Amino acid sequence: MYKLLRNALFIAALLGFASCKNGSIFKRKPEKSDVTGWNYNDKNQGGYYVFKAKDVKTGPGLVFVQGGTFTMGAAQEDVMGDWNNTPRRVTVNSFFIDKTEVANVHYREYLHWLNNVFSDPQYEAVLRGAYPDTLVWRSELAYNEPYVEFYFRHPSYNYYPVVGVSWKQAYDFCVWRTDRVNENALIQEGYQNKNVIKQELNGGGQDNFNTKSYLMGEYDGIPSKPKKKGNALLDAQGRPRTKVDFTDGILFPDYRLPTEAEWEYAAYGYISENPQPRKSEKKRGEELIANKQIYAWKNDGYDNLRSTKQGAWQGAFLANFKRGNGDYMGTPGGLNDRAAIPAPVTSFFANGFGVYNMSGNVNEWVADVYRPLTNLEEDDLNPYRGNVFTKVDVSGGQGNMRDSLGRLKYIPENDSDIVNRVNYQHSYAINYLDGDSISNVTYGYGITTLINDKSRVIKGGSWMDMAYWLSPGSRRFMQEDQSSSTTGFRCAMSHFGPAEGTSSKLKNGNFFPKSRQKR
């Protein structure tokens, strides 16, 4: 009898705990505002819903890069005499970056979506402008026609880096990728009906999901009920809502091209230099970078270009590059990098952050506008040149803020509206202190220089480059509307939350035990 009574009490306790957890019997004490004393998440006290702080999830294809300080710029003698990469100390905040370069199969997925959504003849120019230029393979004195025909299209090259893509095309790919990832996130959480994809791909045109249009209320899609019961989003009156806001923590930040500083920092993979990278509050690594690397891996013997690990791979090249004039992959029977042209995106040696081909394979577009002396003027925290500060064009009124592609329309901020600001006074900051009226510097594009405000930085060296260009510190440029057979790209994403990582155990700042000061 005693055993039966004990079991009954135990079951009752479990049911009580479950009821308490679901909030149907016992209610947890509500969190209060530190500034007003009002309850959060209480419809009777304003209905201000505050979601538990959580880190940004790692988006598809990305790896986390823990930020920090490093010496940006030249890692070896400036044999080209460019004087465009003087070393200096900077810091970049933590961020995400693609594990690999964007491959042909990924870019074809993008074109598949465009061709189905914008199938109406009025969008012909949009589709034509998105295709990579396969003619970049042609040369007057080489037989490269097979690459013109097959490199982008043939399945044997599915996971080779896409080339022939301009900076503008890479930028548009990042916008498209953001929207598809966020659309899928809403579908998975149950806030958009899965049929919205079929609707789009059936010639939806302007009426396609765009993250910023969705957040501004310019696009609704097909709202649905959340899949997780008891975890619905609520409005001020405590009623479930189907519209997601960015503060709900469901949507991802934008995919974008990495800044030059982010790209260079990620390329070095310096976290591998740290003997004890922190994995919890109980352990922290040492603030130490022992050596200035030349390439995207540790300086570790030989000429730093070959594997030093004993075994079959000892002496094999760690990157895809041109060893010397006419030597792209070695000799038959003893091929070294085994790639006369670009190689698959996961080939060769991943660096300390687990990122592939930051040295060699293809050059990569970064976000920055090129200036030879930018590193002398930029901020030392998250340096970047290329800002044009914009705002949403609301002149058309609610419901008319999207362009023909379904994206929000933006216009530059009016300088007269920001003239009294302390931190910036002009919306157009691309040529700030180097090409503007303050600097008294002019760039006579096509006359005295090949540099203008459309010159974008490329980094990393390629399958056609000598080893010098494989150093992450080296930099070159192309016009943003140009492309080549040696240049591709990868995407990045901003990280919000603890700088050390994506673990909930880690925090921003140091939190010491509470103690009272002795009098």
Side-chain angles (χ1 to χ4, degrees):
M1 183 70 180
Y2 171 74
K3 184 180 288 188
L4 290 173
L5 179 61
R6 186 181 64 182
N7 290 340
L9 290 173
F10 177 70
I11 293 172
L14 286 178
L15 292 173
F17 174 76
S19 299
C20 175
K21 190 174 181 182
N22 291 326
S24 58
I25 294 181
F26 302 106
K27 289 188 176 180
R28 189 175 58 181
K29 187 176 180 180
E31 184 182 354
K32 288 182 177 291
S33 166
D34 293 331
V35 294
T36 64
W38 285 28
N39 292 339
Y40 290 153
N41 309 329
D42 186 343
K43 66 180 181 179
N44 297 318
Q45 288 217 312
Y48 179 50
Y49 289 89
V50 179
F51 293 87
K52 183 179 179 181
K54 56 183 178 181
D55 203 11
V56 175
K57 296 176 290 186
T58 303
L62 301 173
V63 295
F64 175 74
V65 176
Q66 187 180 116
T69 182
F70 80 113
T71 302
M72 184 177 177
Q76 54 186 324
E77 183 181 358
D78 188 1
V79 297
M80 303 302 294
D82 288 332
W83 304 107
N84 66 352
N85 56 348
T86 306
R88 71 184 185 111
R89 175 76 65 177
V90 302
T91 291
V92 294
N93 207 349
S94 300
F95 62 100
F96 300 100
I97 197 167
D98 269 340
K99 186 176 183 178
T100 69
E101 299 137 339
V102 172
N104 286 323
V105 69
H106 305 139
Y107 203 84
R108 292 204 306 266
E109 180 184 357
Y110 166 51
L111 295 179
H112 167 80
W113 186 89
L114 288 178
N115 275 287
N116 283 276
V117 174
F118 299 113
S119 56
D120 191 286
Q122 66 173 309
Y123 296 111
E124 183 180 352
V126 174
L127 299 178
R128 190 168 58 248
Y131 276 82
D133 181 9
T134 61
L135 296 180
V136 294
W137 287 103
R138 277 189 176 162
S139 172
E140 292 92 340
L141 296 175
Y143 179 63
N144 290 334
E145 290 306 299
Y147 303 136
V148 173
E149 294 293 327
F150 300 120
Y151 179 82
F152 178 65
R153 300 175 180 88
H154 198 276
S156 63
Y157 291 115
N158 274 352
Y159 290 96
Y160 286 58
V162 65
V163 297
V165 175
S166 69
W167 184 93
K168 287 183 175 180
Q169 289 173 317
Y171 175 90
D172 286 340
F173 177 92
C174 293
V175 175
W176 166 82
R177 185 175 176 185
T178 300
D179 294 341
R180 301 291 69 72
V181 168
N182 278 331
E183 184 177 32
N184 189 53
L186 292 177
I187 291 172
Q188 294 303 315
E189 292 290 332
Y191 293 101
Q192 281 284 300
N193 190 293
K194 62 183 179 180
N195 290 326
V196 71
I197 297 178
K198 294 180 180 179
Q199 180 176 289
E200 283 180 350
L201 294 176
N202 190 30
Q206 183 193 44
D207 197 24
N208 67 85
F209 179 88
N210 172 260
T211 302
K212 290 182 170 58
S213 295
Y214 174 82
L215 291 173
M216 286 287 291
E218 292 292 297
Y219 171 87
D220 292 324
I222 308 177
S224 184
K225 294 181 180 180
K227 292 181 179 179
K228 296 180 181 178
K229 293 182 179 179
N231 195 33
L233 306 176
L234 305 176
D235 63 16
Q237 284 71 44
R239 298 170 301 197
R241 58 182 168 91
T242 58
K243 181 67 182 296
V244 171
D245 193 11
F246 197 69
T247 56
D248 299 328
I250 294 174
L251 297 173
F252 288 87
D254 292 345
Y255 282 85
R256 55 177 174 79
L257 291 175
T259 67
E260 182 177 2
E262 287 175 335
W263 190 98
E264 190 170 328
Y265 178 82
Y268 283 121
Y270 276 135
I271 198 166
S272 62
E273 289 276 343
N274 196 324
Q276 291 180 326
R278 175 154 32 188
K279 295 181 180 179
S280 71
E281 288 292 335
K282 296 180 180 179
K283 269 192 176 183
R284 65 173 294 234
E286 298 185 27
E287 193 175 1
L288 172 68
I289 295 179
N291 298 302
K292 174 64 176 173
Q293 293 175 200
I294 297 176
Y295 305 113
W297 47 83
K298 285 185 178 181
N299 300 332
D300 198 21
Y302 291 112
D303 51 13
N304 296 322
L305 290 165
R306 308 179 218 216
S307 174
T308 59
K309 189 175 181 180
Q310 289 188 348
W313 291 106
Q314 188 172 16
F317 281 131
L318 298 173
N320 181 14
F321 67 105
K322 178 180 176 180
R323 182 160 53 173
N325 288 336
D327 186 357
Y328 288 85
M329 61 178 174
T331 58
L335 298 181
N336 204 307
D337 69 29
R338 304 201 293 186
I341 59 171
V345 294
T346 53
S347 57
F348 297 101
F349 193 75
N351 73 359
F353 287 121
V355 184
Y356 286 86
N357 289 302
M358 298 297 268
S359 289
N361 215 29
V362 291
N363 292 293
E364 297 179 19
W365 289 112
V366 297
D368 293 57
V369 169
Y370 178 84
R371 287 290 191 274
L373 299 179
T374 284
N375 55 358
L376 300 180
E377 299 126 2
E378 283 181 321
D379 291 356
D380 58 1
L381 172 64
N382 300 325
Y384 167 67
R385 178 181 288 281
N387 282 313
V388 178
F389 303 113
T390 61
K391 61 183 180 181
V392 177
D393 183 3
V394 298
S395 60
Q398 192 71 35
N400 295 290
M401 300 181 194
R402 291 189 295 167
D403 62 18
S404 62
L405 301 183
R407 301 176 183 179
L408 283 182
K409 292 182 282 189
Y410 286 88
I411 56 175
E413 289 191 46
N414 194 318
D415 284 358
S416 62
D417 295 335
I418 57 178
V419 67
N420 293 321
R421 294 197 63 88
V422 176
N423 51 331
Y424 72 105
Q425 285 81 40
H426 299 284
S427 62
Y428 190 83
I430 285 178
N431 57 8
Y432 181 64
L433 296 182
D434 197 345
D436 59 359
S437 58
I438 300 175
S439 63
N440 290 320
V441 174
T442 58
Y443 288 90
Y445 180 69
I447 302 173
T448 59
T449 180
L450 294 176
I451 301 169
N452 63 9
D453 290 356
K454 294 183 178 180
S455 303
R456 300 283 177 172
V457 178
I458 56 174
K459 303 277 283 185
S462 75
W463 58 274
M464 191 180 269
D465 287 315
M466 301 281 196
Y468 173 81
W469 296 109
L470 272 58
S471 173
S474 63
R475 57 200 303 258
R476 288 178 287 184
F477 66 93
M478 283 200 310
Q479 295 300 98
E480 63 182 29
D481 54 1
Q482 293 178 340
S483 58
S484 78
S485 63
T486 61
T487 303
F489 70 102
R490 74 179 74 217
C491 304
M493 178 186 287
S494 297
H495 173 261
F496 309 133
E500 284 187 316
T502 57
S503 169
S504 59
K505 298 178 181 178
L506 301 173
K507 301 178 177 67
N508 260 345
N510 291 328
F511 292 82
F512 295 96
K514 294 180 180 179
S515 61
R516 293 184 180 180
Q517 182 177 352
K518 293 182 179 180
R519 298 195 177 193

